[in-house]
Amino acid sequence: MNGKSFLVDLTRCTACRGCQVACKQWKKLPAEKTKNWGSYQNPKDLSSKTIRLVRFSEVMEGGKLQWLFFPEQCRHCVEAPCADVPNNPEAILHDPDTGAVVYTELTAKEDGEAIRSSCPYDIPRVDPETKVVNKCDMCIDRVKIGMLPACVQACPTGTMNFGDREDMLKLAEERLVKAKKKFPQAMLVDPEETRVIYLASAPPANYYEYLEADASGAQPDLITRKQLLAKLGSPIRTIRS
Ligand code: SF4
Ligand code: SF4
Ligand code: SF4
């Protein structure tokens, strides 16, 4: 398999949010009205207007508090479940050169919520007014002319890396060896399944706090991982609780 990939080295992320701003600027996505909800994570969740979001999580691990940062975007799955949903098989494209999973004008005519439901990472978001579903497209317009994705270009710490898939996988293995010296639990997350490979210093679930729509579906509420895992019937560890 070739094409392109990202390596997102979370051990280097300072949560400066330069990547989040650069994404908005390049994609010409409007600002959203936000309010203080007790976290530096702003806005509270991904949306059709915020397709890249730096998540903040506080986790107790081995008696020590960890403050973890997780710049989230579409993973550009090698086998993308979202691409199987549309009635029109040409609505969501797998770019043959890069492997990017790209939503097209035809995607706008499809059931956006069904597309969102199919995503194992809960990435696509539907505009409540236009009903059009949106997500990261790997900055395919930039990449096709030899530029880096805007988020990679903007990152000052080496967290965001992008290039030929084989090179990124090699870099991921090298960075993992170094990371393990300081973070014994460090791991690569889904490197075979996705084109956005995260190098995590802690178990991947520690990077998430989960959002769940309330009964009206209007305003997502933060739920703890403890609550989420309890819902799923899995063993639990605590976060913010
Ligand atoms: Fe599709 Fe979700 Fe995979 Fe992105 S992460 S390609 S939206 S299934
Ligand atoms: Fe945004 Fe482009 Fe980065 Fe995707 S690749 S998160 S669209 S800046
Ligand atoms: Fe992290 Fe780089 Fe994004 Fe800053 S620009 S939040 S360091 S990934």
Side-chain angles (χ1 to χ4, degrees), residues 167-186:
D167 292 342
M168 288 300 103
L169 286 168
K170 188 163 173 266
L171 182 62
E173 293 295 342
E174 290 169 3
R175 292 268 186 101
L176 178 62
V177 170
K178 286 183 190 163
K180 272 190 170 293
K181 291 177 184 163
K182 187 172 180 187
F183 307 104
Q185 296 188 89

Side-chain angles (χ1 to χ4, degrees), residues 14-17 20 34-45 53-58 67-69 209 222 240:
T14 60
C16 70
R17 284 182 287 210
Q20 188 175 316
T34 60
K35 60 181 180 183
N36 187 336
W37 60 286
S39 169
Y40 287 107
Q41 183 176 312
N42 186 25
K44 200 172 182 181
D45 196 11
L53 175 68
V54 181
R55 297 190 182 278
F56 291 63
S57 292
E58 295 170 27
W67 201 20
L68 299 174
F69 311 128
E209 288 182 318
L222 187 71
R240 275 194 191 276

